[in-house]
Amino acid sequence: PRAARFSSRVSTSGGGGEEEVERLVRSYRPRASAVEQLIEGECEAVLFAPTGEPTGDPQGADEVGGMSAWAGFETSRAAFPRGLLVYPGSFNPLHRGHLELARAVQRHVASQEKADGSDGPPLLFEVAAVNPDKPSIGPQVIKDRVGQFTEVSSPVVVTRAPLFVQKARILPGSTFVVGADTAARILDRRYYGDCDLEMISALSEIKQLGCSFVVGGRKQGAEFVTLEDILGPLKLPKAITEMFVGLPPETFRVDLSSTEIRAQIEAEKQAEKKHTPQKFSK
């Protein structure tokens, strides 16, 4: 497939980013049933990249709209360029809050790097087929989730990496884009066997792999929770806390969540059922 020219609502270009992402695409070889290979553990990740019009490949390679799947992850560290912004999530569904947080982080990183006129580093969305808090997702669900990004025209990588230390091993040198709720889980010892040493060890490895986090605030109940709210009660070494940078509310705030959207959709379905005339057989 042709390498994509990424001009999108969420920019993946700027500062040499377009060339980096195109190199990422070229580093893969197309293979049939890439998603099934991932599910079966034959590869660590599958990249979906915009390729223009669907090719309708008779070989059975996974196609989602204008997104083609690329597998073959034998050299994972060499495959991805360093300096990516990586936005992990379930994206069930993808919504305005996700896209606005991505833009806000791109602007923040670009300003820190003083990249005048740049849209920031290249952006890659990541969906984990395996999640520590939720059931694993199957091939069709993966394709449905990836299909949401067709109009965004941004590459998506689907991994078997539920933990951030695993994501960092696959994507070293990346800056992870996360919400405050995700940051709280990253810093929750329950995800490390209730062991502070295990948590510090995992976070230290993430740091050694050149990764860091930019955290957007999130509404939880009646409160808007920021990184400062999460770090405040914790007694963590400075070497760990400096891995996290919070976006101030004036830079990013969208009071919207996938959970709320799913609840609204379900409520609308139930309301529609109540107003649908019943058909009775004679």
Side-chain angles (χ1 to χ4, degrees):
R2 300 181 302 277
R5 302 292 177 184
F6 300 112
S7 57
S8 60
R9 288 179 294 165
V10 179
S11 175
T12 57
S13 64
E18 182 174 340
E19 291 76 12
E20 287 292 306
V21 175
E22 289 188 355
R23 185 173 67 82
L24 181 156
V25 172
R26 288 195 299 270
S27 70
Y28 284 84
R29 64 178 186 276
R31 294 169 65 180
S33 304
V35 171
E36 281 76 8
Q37 293 177 50
L38 179 78
I39 296 297
E40 294 171 5
E42 296 179 9
C43 63
E44 293 181 80
V46 170
L47 174 72
F48 283 86
T51 57
E53 295 298 321
T55 63
D57 190 342
Q59 300 297 321
D62 294 307
E63 289 270 356
V64 179
M67 307 275 277
S68 292
W70 300 68
F73 211 70
E74 293 80 4
T75 56
S76 59
R77 291 192 179 220
F80 285 95
R82 299 179 74 89
L84 284 171
L85 284 181
V86 179
Y87 193 160
S90 58
F91 304 109
N92 181 29
L94 174 69
H95 58 72
R96 177 173 60 88
H98 294 132
L99 301 179
E100 292 197 13
L101 177 55
R103 294 189 192 101
V105 174
Q106 283 185 310
R107 289 194 298 267
H108 170 79
V109 174
S111 68
Q112 295 299 306
E113 295 177 349
K114 298 180 180 179
D116 296 336
S118 169
D119 293 318
L123 175 69
L124 180 69
F125 290 92
E126 186 255 352
V127 176
V130 182
N131 190 297
D133 294 317
K134 304 172 185 176
S136 299
I137 57 178
Q140 188 55 53
V141 174
I142 289 173
K143 293 177 183 180
D144 291 343
R145 301 276 175 89
V146 171
Q148 300 176 106
F149 293 89
T150 301
E151 293 185 5
V152 178
S153 297
S154 184
V156 182
V157 64
V158 184
T159 74
R160 293 177 54 85
L163 304 178
F164 273 89
V165 67
Q166 296 168 326
K167 300 181 198 298
R169 290 167 185 162
I170 295 172
L171 299 160
S174 297
T175 298
F176 291 109
V177 180
V178 298
D181 55 331
T182 300
R185 290 193 294 270
I186 294 170
L187 297 169
D188 190 339
R189 64 198 303 271
R190 290 180 299 174
Y191 291 92
Y192 307 90
D194 279 319
C195 178
D196 290 331
L197 183 60
E198 288 294 328
M199 182 177 75
I200 297 299
S201 176
L203 291 171
S204 296
E205 182 179 350
I206 292 172
K207 184 175 184 178
Q208 289 172 359
L209 288 166
C211 296
S212 60
F213 301 87
V214 178
V215 183
R218 179 162 180 179
K219 184 180 179 182
Q220 295 183 341
E223 298 182 357
F224 187 75
V225 179
T226 65
L227 176 64
E228 290 183 359
D229 299 320
I230 296 168
L231 292 179
L234 302 176
K235 297 181 180 179
L236 295 170
K238 182 180 178 181
I240 297 300
T241 59
E242 66 185 10
M243 295 169 59
F244 296 81
V245 174
L247 294 177
E250 59 269 23
T251 301
F252 168 77
R253 176 165 181 168
V254 176
D255 295 344
L256 186 66
S257 73
S258 295
T259 301
E260 292 173 342
I261 293 174
R262 290 196 300 272
Q264 181 179 349
I265 292 172
E266 183 60 29
E268 291 174 354
K269 287 181 179 178
Q270 294 302 322
E272 186 177 345
K273 285 182 180 179
K274 289 181 180 179
H275 292 88
T276 301
Q278 297 290 323
K279 294 183 178 180
F280 299 97
S281 58
K282 295 180 179 180

